[in-house]
Amino acid sequence: MKYMILSYASQEDYDGMAGKDTGKPAWTEADFAAMGAFMEKFNADLAESGELVETRALAAPVLTRRIGSKDGESVVTDGPYAETQEVLAGYWIVECDSFDRAVEIAARLGDTPAPEFVRATAYADIRPVVEGRDDMLT
């Protein structure tokens, strides 16, 4: 079974990683390097175990465009969104034996090095990937 692990961040989080003033303690180069090294090892471990299908980080929310509709017409809204609004920051698709194993993998993300104020609010969602229409009914 395939599962998607989704991680979230806000524009403020991206700004902090880039060294911009957010009113919170700044990320240091060492913080950012430690996070990068952790993610590289996390991904390598999943690839080695054969459980990694795909992973990607996403660009900052300020680069987002949202498509919606109003009165039957398409509406395009450019970012940025409110600094505190969380958006998808990245994802992993893993193929493993059970939902419990996917949760176990995602729980390792709690060890990602980051400033404590970031770690205190970090979370990930885990969702089964639907392979076909019949899977939508379960």
Side-chain angles (χ1 to χ4, degrees):
M1 182 77 183
K2 291 180 184 162
Y3 300 89
M4 182 175 266
I5 300 168
L6 306 123
S7 64
Y8 299 88
S10 67
Q11 183 62 48
E12 181 177 73
D13 294 329
Y14 280 85
D15 289 346
M17 285 188 285
K20 296 179 182 175
D21 182 16
T22 64
K24 294 182 178 175
W27 282 66
T28 66
E29 284 186 35
D31 290 333
F32 193 71
M35 181 188 68
F38 176 89
M39 289 299 177
E40 287 174 10
K41 179 161 180 11
F42 181 78
N43 294 339
D45 289 349
L46 288 173
E48 186 177 313
S49 73
E51 295 170 304
L52 181 64
V53 175
E54 180 178 354
T55 184
R56 295 281 187 253
L58 299 175
V62 70
L63 301 173
T64 301
R65 288 191 179 155
R66 182 169 284 166
I67 310 298
S69 65
K70 183 174 181 178
D71 301 325
E73 299 291 324
S74 291
V75 176
V76 179
T77 305
D78 289 335
Y81 300 107
E83 288 183 352
T84 57
Q85 182 178 348
E86 291 183 336
V87 296
L88 186 62
Y91 67 90
W92 293 260
I93 296 178
V94 296
E95 188 164 8
C96 52
D97 293 334
S98 68
F99 208 146
D100 287 341
R101 174 61 183 147
V103 169
E104 182 180 295
I105 292 167
R108 290 178 45 207
L109 292 170
D111 295 331
T112 304
E116 190 53 41
F117 73 91
V118 174
R119 290 171 49 89
T121 60
Y123 66 95
D125 290 333
I126 303 98
R127 295 176 64 182
V129 174
V130 174
E131 299 288 344
R133 182 174 47 179
D134 292 340
D135 292 339
M136 294 291 295
L137 303 176
T138 57

